[in-house]
Amino acid sequence: MSSEPARRPRRLWALWAALLALFSPLLLTPASAPAATATDTTATAQADPVPGMFNPRQTWLRNSTAGLFLHWGMYTQPEHYDCDSWQKAVNDSGWNPDYWVKETQKIHGSYIVLATFHSRLGYARPWPSKIPGSCSTKRDILGELIKAAKAKGIKVILYMTDDPQWHDVMGPESFDSAAYSAYKGKDVDLTTRPGFGEFSYDNFFEVMHNYPDLKGFWIDNDNEYWEQHHLYEQIREQRPDMLLSNNNEDTPIMDTVSNEQKTGMTPDYDMPAAYWTSMPRLTESCYKVPSSGAWWYDGQDRPVDTALNIRRYVANAGTSYKSLMDLQAQVDGTFPPQQQAFTDYMSKYLDPIWESLHGVEGGGYLYGGLRPGAWNDGAYGYTTVSKEDPTREYIHVTTRPAGTDSGTLRIRDNGTKVKRISDLRTGKKIAFDQHDGTVTLKDITTWDPYDTVFKVETERHRQGLYPSNTVRATATSSKDGHPAADLTDGDLTRYWDSNAQVPVSVTLDLGGVKKARYLAVNQTEWSPTYNRESFGRKEDSARIKDYKVFASDDGEHWGDPVKTGVMESARSTRYVDLDTTARYIRLEVDSTWSAATVIPFYHQLRIDEIAVGHSYPVSHGRG
């Protein structure tokens, strides 16, 4: 039987949701990060701005790098159309949960998401259930998996769908509405959204109560019945240890936002460029490892692009996303040969560079560190920053430089002074020079085919920036609650909003005539970055495009701009090099990248912080 819904005023939940939606894209500096100093503009949020956003139940997932996504059920080929024949096939094949646990360990995963109660897989429930309505096995496959995973320190999360529309996709009917109606003592049509919502609602509670070691639910979108009966609130009350994850929606009550596989990025492995949620929101990137085919095994040994998948893994770690990797299990639970070969390869590939992918945050964004993205001569990559020791960073070169200067790598230093650089795999010291805002790695002769990793030792605090409390900001337009003062408050949990006004200007008062070498513009990470022309849509990004910079000693006489340009639509801090002297610096934003047809982002400009640099760190090291 279903539990009675908790009676809570919806108005309170709506307020909580609004608050979380406001703060979710913004920074909370990790506890390990240093406090700000006179030359350090790294944000130093003192507390969780929304209670529950950093609930302790999330800690294990925040400390994870990857997980295994398993779509597996009655319609895994060869299809079975009744529960008994499917269960017999599973048993006869020798299915064993230890296999999935070992495969998770090979990809250095911390959790498994089991997707059997899936709209395209027969709504199969691999656990004994007292609730009739769809396939339920006599063998407790779910319980066996949870036990085997727990023995190895791996968590299990159960996938739950909201959608009944595929109930007869294979021909035979997946639901037994008559049996469920008899169980409920009323007529319920499971092929309708309300009917299926009630059936799945009951299953949430049965599983939640029967499996105390189940760590959460991975929920594919939402169902009106669940909302009307306060499902999530009840899970919070009855199992506060459970994680809730939602697919492709940033629902405030959920712990996690999961973003499905996207295409059309350049480079193709930079999936995070397509996502609209960012740190510190707990986020997943869920994607298929095989290059083609459905999310479940379709009877073919699909090819696996090793380079693409390794680089996706690195891209996610470099953007503080969790890699939820879909490998397509056969009826016996094992993977086809090409997928098996990939996990075998990953088990060896990751070990030598694991410290650069685990226990880290994405660098160059809201946790400091060298700037990621497009580098010199076609090079591309990411940086990561150790949570334990923020002075330890890593450069991941996923696409090496090309051309005549292919042994050189140039990266914007983001105010970080470098002390030493070495090749993480070999320990070999790398020669470098640092000046004018750039670190240049020299004489690199060995490149990994997928991800060359350099270990970088740095000074603790950013250098060359005026302290945020000495710079005052004003703007020609600001949205209520997001004033220009938030641009220079040193706190990335607050941002300036232009109130949909573009062109718009921001003026920075340095307090006296001083040297201004550059502006460091940290725009809010809340909109996609990649160009969608191939989809008939222009760039969605709500980021600065055309800009001008003016300088003035008195704030009244500005003259001609000291700099004009087009700011690239890219994540992480953007720099405007100036080399001028003035008291007032004005940044005029004349346009943004988002097209008028993309209403949520058109002329919507949000900037977390703008810092003014007076000098660049200088350093060098020998190889």
Side-chain angles (χ1 to χ4, degrees):
M1 299 291 290
S2 62
S3 302
E4 282 297 312
R7 302 300 181 186
R8 288 203 170 188
R10 299 299 287 174
R11 190 174 302 170
L12 292 179
W13 287 107
L15 176 60
W16 191 88
L19 287 170
L20 184 52
L22 174 64
F23 286 108
S24 63
L26 305 177
L27 168 69
L28 294 181
T29 298
S32 60
T37 67
T39 58
D40 178 29
T41 61
T42 303
T44 55
Q46 300 301 312
D48 182 349
V50 180
M53 184 177 175
F54 283 79
N55 192 285
R57 67 175 168 264
Q58 301 173 1
T59 301
W60 70 264
L61 185 54
R62 287 190 178 276
N63 292 335
S64 301
T65 301
L68 183 61
F69 205 4
L70 289 169
H71 289 72
W72 182 76
M74 285 179 62
Y75 296 158
T76 295
Q77 291 223 2
E79 300 100 337
H80 294 82
Y81 302 110
D82 67 86
C83 207
D84 289 341
S85 66
W86 177 55
Q87 179 173 251
K88 184 178 186 304
V90 172
N91 289 337
D92 290 349
S93 70
W95 177 89
N96 189 312
D98 291 335
Y99 173 84
W100 284 346
V101 174
K102 290 177 181 177
E103 294 302 299
T104 304
Q105 291 175 316
K106 288 180 182 179
I107 62 170
H108 286 55
S110 301
Y111 63 110
I112 297 170
V113 176
L114 181 61
T116 62
F117 190 66
H118 187 281
S119 56
R120 303 299 296 269
L121 286 169
Y123 302 90
R125 295 174 293 162
W127 64 86
S129 177
K130 295 180 179 179
I131 306 167
S134 73
C135 170
S136 171
T137 59
K138 297 179 179 64
R139 181 179 180 179
D140 191 1
I141 294 171
L142 175 61
E144 291 179 37
L145 177 60
I146 292 171
K147 182 179 179 180
K150 183 180 179 182
K152 299 298 183 180
I154 292 172
K155 318 294 184 185
V156 175
I157 294 174
L158 185 63
Y159 174 104
M160 299 290 279
T161 184
D162 74 313
D163 187 3
Q165 68 171 312
W166 305 103
H167 60 95
D168 58 356
V169 65
M170 301 302 291
E173 176 60 59
S174 296
F175 297 139
D176 188 343
S177 294
Y180 183 70
S181 295
Y183 169 75
K184 297 291 287 189
K186 61 179 182 179
D187 289 336
V188 182
D189 185 352
L190 298 185
T191 68
T192 66
R193 288 191 64 82
F196 179 76
E198 184 171 357
F199 170 62
S200 51
Y201 174 94
D202 289 348
N203 276 272
F204 272 104
F205 286 95
E206 180 181 64
V207 170
M208 182 170 60
H209 294 151
N210 289 349
Y211 298 98
D213 289 325
L214 182 68
K215 286 302 177 182
F217 293 110
W218 199 99
I219 300 168
D220 199 345
N221 298 312
D222 213 340
N223 185 285
E224 298 82 355
Y225 186 94
W226 303 344
E227 293 179 334
Q228 293 163 4
H229 292 79
H230 309 277
L231 170 64
Y232 309 133
E233 293 88 337
Q234 292 186 83
I235 294 173
R236 286 280 175 261
E237 291 176 353
Q238 297 181 32
R239 285 288 304 274
D241 62 306
M242 274 190 154
L243 282 170
L244 293 176
S245 180
N246 196 252
N247 186 26
N248 290 329
E249 294 180 7
D250 192 352
T251 305
I253 199 170
M254 300 292 174
D255 294 285
T256 308
V257 182
S258 293
N259 299 276
E260 281 190 21
Q261 181 182 36
K262 306 294 181 184
T263 58
M265 284 75 67
T266 302
D268 57 357
Y269 52 79
D270 192 19
M271 289 175 55
Y275 300 154
W276 60 92
T277 51
S278 61
M279 58 190 82
R281 190 72 159 112
L282 185 53
T283 52
E284 288 175 327
S285 171
C286 54
Y287 55 92
K288 295 182 294 183
V289 170
S291 300
S292 61
W295 282 92
W296 51 91
Y297 179 66
D298 59 3
Q300 299 185 49
D301 183 17
R302 301 279 184 175
V304 174
D305 186 333
T306 299
L308 174 63
N309 281 286
I310 287 177
R311 289 163 175 162
R312 281 173 170 170
Y313 196 102
V314 173
N316 291 327
T319 326
S320 295
Y321 283 95
K322 312 306 171 186
S323 287
L324 183 54
M325 307 168 69
D326 183 79
L327 288 136
Q328 301 174 359
Q330 302 170 99
V331 172
D332 65 356
T334 64
F335 302 136
Q338 294 187 73
Q339 294 179 54
Q340 185 69 70
F342 172 74
T343 62
D344 291 344
Y345 184 81
M346 286 286 280
S347 68
K348 299 174 183 177
Y349 183 84
L350 292 175
D351 284 343
I353 59 171
W354 187 235
E355 69 177 71
S356 70
L357 296 168
H358 183 68
V360 297
E361 294 287 2
Y365 296 93
L366 305 181
Y367 294 94
L370 302 167
R371 192 174 76 179
W375 298 323
N376 61 290
D377 300 302
Y380 201 92
Y382 310 86
T383 67
T384 54
V385 180
S386 168
K387 294 180 184 179
E388 181 182 55
D389 180 6
T391 67
R392 189 170 71 244
E393 301 183 23
Y394 303 90
I395 300 170
H396 293 265
V397 185
T398 44
T399 299
R400 58 170 291 184
T404 57
D405 203 15
S406 59
T408 300
L409 186 70
R410 289 185 288 274
I411 301 178
R412 190 80 195 212
D413 63 29
N414 213 13
T416 301
K417 184 173 182 177
V418 174
K419 295 165 62 178
R420 280 176 292 276
I421 302 178
S422 59
D423 185 302
L424 180 59
R425 288 185 174 88
T426 66
K428 178 184 176 182
K429 290 183 180 179
I430 302 297
F432 71 90
D433 282 323
Q434 180 179 13
H435 57 85
D436 295 330
T438 297
V439 180
T440 301
L441 287 69
K442 303 186 295 183
D443 304 322
I444 305 170
T445 58
T446 303
W447 296 94
D448 184 82
Y450 308 126
D451 178 28
T452 304
V453 187
F454 298 105
K455 185 175 182 177
V456 184
E457 299 172 64
T458 73
E459 297 288 353
R460 190 167 185 82
H461 302 300
R462 296 173 68 191
Q463 298 185 3
L465 300 171
Y466 290 113
S468 57
N469 59 6
T470 67
V471 180
R472 188 172 66 91
T474 57
T476 54
S477 176
S478 298
K479 189 174 183 178
D480 289 345
H482 301 284
D486 289 346
L487 287 167
T488 57
D489 64 352
D491 184 349
L492 284 164
T493 64
R494 294 190 288 264
Y495 61 89
W496 166 71
D497 189 310
S498 72
N499 199 29
Q501 296 298 309
V502 175
V504 65
S505 294
V506 170
T507 300
L508 304 172
D509 180 358
L510 304 184
V513 176
K514 299 177 181 179
K515 187 70 173 178
R517 296 291 299 275
Y518 63 88
L519 300 180
V521 183
N522 197 330
Q523 299 177 84
T524 304
E525 301 290 343
W526 69 292
S527 61
T529 303
Y530 74 106
N531 193 301
R532 298 189 175 191
E533 288 285 7
S534 59
F535 297 94
R537 295 165 56 186
K538 293 186 180 299
E539 169 69 62
D540 286 0
S541 166
R543 294 179 176 87
I544 297 169
K545 187 178 181 182
D546 295 290
Y547 69 88
K548 300 184 185 75
V549 179
F550 299 84
S552 172
D553 290 345
D554 59 11
E556 295 182 3
H557 302 89
W558 294 93
D560 294 331
V562 295
K563 185 71 174 287
T564 64
V566 176
M567 191 173 292
E568 65 270 50
S569 179
R571 293 163 295 154
S572 78
T573 305
R574 299 293 103 187
Y575 285 84
V576 180
D577 291 307
L578 300 174
D579 198 16
T580 190
T581 300
R583 173 172 177 172
Y584 299 93
I585 305 294
R586 174 173 291 171
L587 173 63
E588 178 183 298
V589 179
D590 296 321
S591 66
T592 59
W593 283 97
S594 183
T597 53
V598 189
I599 296 174
F601 301 126
Y602 183 60
H603 282 181
Q604 301 293 325
L605 180 61
R606 299 177 183 177
I607 302 178
D608 292 326
E609 292 288 306
I610 299 182
V612 182
H614 54 77
S615 60
Y616 300 108
V618 176
S619 183
H620 69 275
R622 295 181 179 179

